[in-house]
Amino acid sequence: MTADDLIKAYVAEVMRHLPRGQRDDVGFELQELLRDQLADRAGSGEDMDAAGVLAMLDSMGAPEEVAARYREPGVTIVEPHRTRWFLTLALGGVALQWALTLPRALAAGTPAQWWADSGLGALWWPGFLVLAFAAAAHLRTRRGSPPQPWRPAAVDALQVDRGRATGAFVAMILGMAVLLAMPAWTRALPAPAAAAFALDPGFVAGRAPLALFLWAGQLALAAILLRTGRWTARLRGVRRALDLGWLGTLSLWIAGGPIFSAGPTDSLVKALLVLLCAGIAVGLIMTLLRGRRRAPHAPLIA
Amino acid sequence: MVRTDDSNQSRIEQEMRRGVVVLAVLSQLREPQYGYSLRQALAQADMPIEEGTLYPLLRRLEAQGFLASEWRIEDGPPRRYYRLNGAGEALLQSLAQTWRALTGSIDAILEDSGT
């Protein structure tokens, strides 16, 4: 290849990485600039054989890097300080889906089918996260001006918002009432719906009453918080114990037999309970980590 | 990847130079220049700038509204000439003022530290 051929090939590669509207203009300019540079170096006595021309082009930089410098900086989808969190969420979500689906596939002897269905199918989660982060990045770019200055979330992190706590207390009682009355109100439904929502008698007699103790504990905790208006270390411990209790109870409900008599209803509810367990577990882990990281440790000085 | 001390030093020096490239380029564009002549003018003023940095920078400054450009044919193939426009002149003045204040402060700091 001649020196000019090398320059043309280099410029063509740069142009390939440029936006379509810029290619001809930038490409032509860059080509002439490189020819001027080549003529200058040859005129000053440098040996501009193929190796010399390649060295000159190397000093420009790789074609894709040169093309990137012609562009304005783009939008960052995952900021550096959020990268670890993004990867944890993405990989954790995929791992959770695999953990829930792979054992059954292995027991059934269908790992290949599992890979084609649930294995690869779990990758929807990282894709969804990328879109969510991209949407957030777009909103940040549109907002443009610097973000609001930092202010502490609450003067007293242990203070209970009584309004919000009252609302949660009322919602808890209503929810418990609906669930406790479920055997009665499902019988009042039309036949197909009544059959779909019919609770398994074994569940009602055996595993369901466990919830009564946990609900009683949660109501007592909520009443104390409403009265005192403040968390204490002991109350936080009670809440963690209740969360662990729910984790165990829900696991028993899922693994201990049918909850609903109708198979599809039972499968759907158990899937939702698995997600609920995952949420409780993540909450417990986050509380544990937050507790450890609350204050920086003083450096060790020898 | 662990960087060597030499590459770290080189990178830090490059970052320091990168901070003044725009000021140096704008200062030379009160008269129309094309990319290669500008690069030679800066090299002669002991401010060498890599071609891979300079040429895209001219386009970006134009896209940002600080330079005007036109194709000209003068003894050879068409060349794209750049020069400062009103916004570019204002930016140059502002950057020059900032630079003088900075160098004054840095000189004082270095003198105090015995460097």
Side-chain angles (χ1 to χ4, degrees):
Chain A
M1 287 177 100
T2 65
D4 205 55
D5 288 338
L6 285 169
I7 288 174
K8 281 180 182 172
Y10 179 86
V11 169
E13 191 60 25
V14 172
M15 284 168 67
R16 206 165 66 79
H17 295 282
L18 289 172
R20 211 172 282 275
Q22 263 191 319
R23 282 177 192 168
D24 284 337
D25 205 62
V26 170
F28 187 83
E29 182 188 17
L30 185 59
Q31 185 173 272
E32 293 310 313
L33 287 168
L34 289 172
R35 282 173 174 161
D36 284 340
Q37 202 170 320
L38 176 67
D40 194 44
R41 287 195 183 196
S44 60
E46 278 186 56
D47 186 9
M48 297 310 288
D49 58 359
V53 175
L54 286 171
M56 182 186 84
L57 295 175
D58 285 345
S59 71
M60 275 286 294
E64 57 271 17
E65 287 175 6
V66 172
R69 289 180 210 137
Y70 277 96
R71 304 173 98 128
E72 291 295 328
V75 173
T76 302
I77 292 179
V78 182
E79 292 158 324
H81 67 278
R82 291 188 216 271
T83 300
R84 184 174 285 188
W85 186 51
F86 172 84
L87 284 175
T88 304
L89 270 181
L91 295 175
V94 171
L96 179 64
Q97 290 177 79
W98 285 0
L100 291 174
T101 54
L102 183 56
R104 195 183 299 178
L106 289 175
T110 56
Q113 188 177 335
W114 168 82
W115 178 246
D117 294 336
S118 304
L120 290 175
L123 297 179
W124 72 270
W125 174 241
F128 169 75
L129 280 183
V130 167
L131 291 177
F133 273 71
H138 176 67
L139 288 172
R140 273 198 304 275
T141 307
R142 280 189 63 181
R143 209 166 53 209
S145 54
Q148 296 294 321
W150 177 87
R151 293 289 180 273
V155 174
D156 184 355
L158 299 177
Q159 190 82 16
V160 170
D161 182 333
R162 278 204 161 92
R164 201 180 288 180
T166 304
F169 186 74
V170 169
M172 200 188 308
I173 291 180
L174 284 173
M176 288 175 192
V178 166
L179 288 171
L180 283 170
M182 195 168 177
W185 62 258
T186 52
R187 276 198 293 272
L189 292 171
F197 286 105
L199 289 166
D200 180 78
F203 169 75
V204 173
R207 290 169 282 141
L210 291 171
L212 294 173
F213 299 104
L214 293 169
W215 277 336
Q218 282 193 295
L219 281 172
L221 176 63
I224 293 170
L225 283 172
L226 273 176
R227 188 171 59 82
T228 63
R230 204 174 160 72
W231 285 98
T232 63
R234 185 171 291 184
L235 290 176
R236 283 186 189 270
V238 168
R239 188 173 76 176
R240 277 196 291 271
L242 285 169
D243 282 344
L244 280 170
W246 274 114
L247 210 50
T249 301
L250 292 176
S251 300
L252 184 62
W253 284 7
I254 293 165
I259 299 173
F260 286 86
S261 299
T265 311
D266 191 59
S267 299
L268 176 63
V269 167
K270 282 185 175 175
L272 292 173
L273 289 179
V274 165
L275 287 175
L276 182 57
C277 284
I280 294 171
V282 167
L284 280 169
I285 292 169
M286 298 287 282
T287 306
L288 186 66
L289 291 175
R290 211 177 292 133
R292 282 186 182 172
R293 281 203 300 264
R294 189 154 294 146
H297 294 288
L300 292 173
I301 301 172
Chain B
M1 185 185 75
V2 177
R3 290 195 165 106
T4 63
D5 283 345
D6 282 345
S7 69
N8 272 333
Q9 183 173 341
S10 166
R11 189 172 48 83
I12 292 167
E13 279 180 9
Q14 265 186 2
E15 282 176 13
M16 195 167 72
R17 284 180 168 274
R18 207 171 286 146
V20 296
V21 159
V22 171
L23 176 56
V25 165
L26 292 178
S27 72
Q28 302 300 299
L29 290 177
R30 283 198 167 116
E31 295 299 322
Q33 301 250 27
Y34 69 100
Y36 193 64
S37 68
L38 175 61
R39 182 181 171 273
Q40 287 182 306
L42 288 168
Q44 279 169 10
D46 213 16
M47 183 75 195
I49 298 178
E50 290 164 0
E51 304 87 341
T53 301
L54 177 61
Y55 303 152
L57 175 61
L58 290 170
R59 285 278 177 159
R60 287 207 314 275
L61 287 171
E62 184 186 15
Q64 288 164 3
F66 299 118
L67 301 180
S69 71
E70 58 181 359
W71 287 99
R72 284 190 198 174
I73 301 177
E74 289 178 359
D75 302 325
R79 292 194 174 100
R80 196 175 183 102
Y81 281 75
Y82 298 86
R83 63 174 184 76
L84 284 186
N85 59 15
E89 179 65 44
L91 177 63
L92 171 59
Q93 296 298 330
S94 170
L95 291 179
Q97 197 173 356
T98 304
W99 170 255
R100 287 187 186 107
L102 261 177
T103 50
S105 304
I106 294 293
D107 284 341
I109 289 170
L110 291 176
E111 201 171 314
D112 284 347
S113 71
T115 309

